[in-house]
Amino acid sequence: MLFIQETNNSYRLADEQDVISEAIKIYNRTFSRGEPLNSPDDAKDCIKLKLAPYEHEVFLCLFLDNQHRVIACDELFRGTIDGASVYPREVVKAALHHNAAALIMAHNHPSGISEPSRADRAITAKLQEALALIDVRVLDHFIVGETVHSFAEHGLL
């Protein structure tokens, strides 16, 4: 059980919204500008926290500098319960805007199944190709469901 200390120093039982609110504060601290991502697990946990609550697909990118420090985390596309249109041109524009050297892509599957679809594999390859033209490395693509699927860990990048 978690408790929240009120301003009058009394305590009350924390509800789900309290927990989510605190988790978002931790997320924002973790992905604050200049924080390095030292392992895939650093990114995985926070991305899951960011994407898990959505009931529709959301595609985001973590833009990183040469030392893999976070420059920005942008939600670039929103879709429906079973898909989102992702446009390579817009991802390239955002990478150039942030002057990124690398990025991590992520999106959620509201169904809870984190296995990549054929469309997920195709857009990942297309984005990797487009970003390579401007010397931006794609470090990973995470799909968030009940678990988090990493393209890099499964040899798909």
Side-chain angles (χ1 to χ4, degrees):
M1 284 193 192
L2 294 174
F3 291 89
I4 302 290
Q5 185 175 13
E6 300 283 0
T7 54
N8 65 1
N9 289 329
S10 65
Y11 289 86
R12 67 174 173 79
L13 189 61
D15 61 21
E16 284 183 7
Q17 191 55 47
D18 293 323
V19 173
I20 290 169
S21 183
E22 286 304 310
I24 289 170
K25 288 178 188 172
I26 293 167
Y27 170 87
N28 289 334
R29 234 183 2 258
T30 301
F31 284 139
S32 63
R33 186 177 179 89
E35 288 297 313
L37 295 177
N38 297 316
S39 75
D41 290 336
D42 287 349
K44 247 188 220 183
D45 292 338
C46 286
I47 286 172
K48 183 171 184 172
L49 172 65
K50 177 81 170 167
L51 293 176
Y54 289 116
E55 294 179 350
H56 56 276
E57 278 201 19
V58 173
F59 182 94
L60 66 78
C61 287
L62 277 174
F63 298 98
L64 310 170
D65 68 11
N66 274 324
Q67 283 73 46
H68 300 164
R69 292 178 300 209
V70 176
I71 297 169
C73 178
D74 291 353
E75 290 180 18
L76 296 176
F77 308 102
R78 290 175 169 251
T80 62
I81 61 169
D82 63 353
S85 295
V86 176
Y87 301 98
R89 174 186 176 89
E90 297 302 316
V91 176
V92 168
K93 280 173 47 178
L96 289 169
H97 170 76
H98 291 298
N99 199 27
L103 64 75
I104 295 172
M105 305 179 273
H107 76 280
N108 63 321
H109 281 176
S111 67
I113 299 167
S114 58
E115 283 299 309
S117 67
R118 200 171 336 155
D120 294 333
R121 291 173 193 253
I123 195 63
T124 300
K126 191 179 277 191
L127 287 168
Q128 195 172 18
E129 206 174 283
L131 289 160
L133 294 172
I134 59 166
D135 296 322
V136 174
R137 296 180 315 280
V138 175
L139 302 181
D140 212 333
H141 183 172
F142 295 122
I143 300 176
V144 175
E146 289 179 14
T147 60
V148 180
H149 184 278
S150 163
F151 274 60
E153 288 177 357
H154 288 89
L156 300 173
L157 281 181

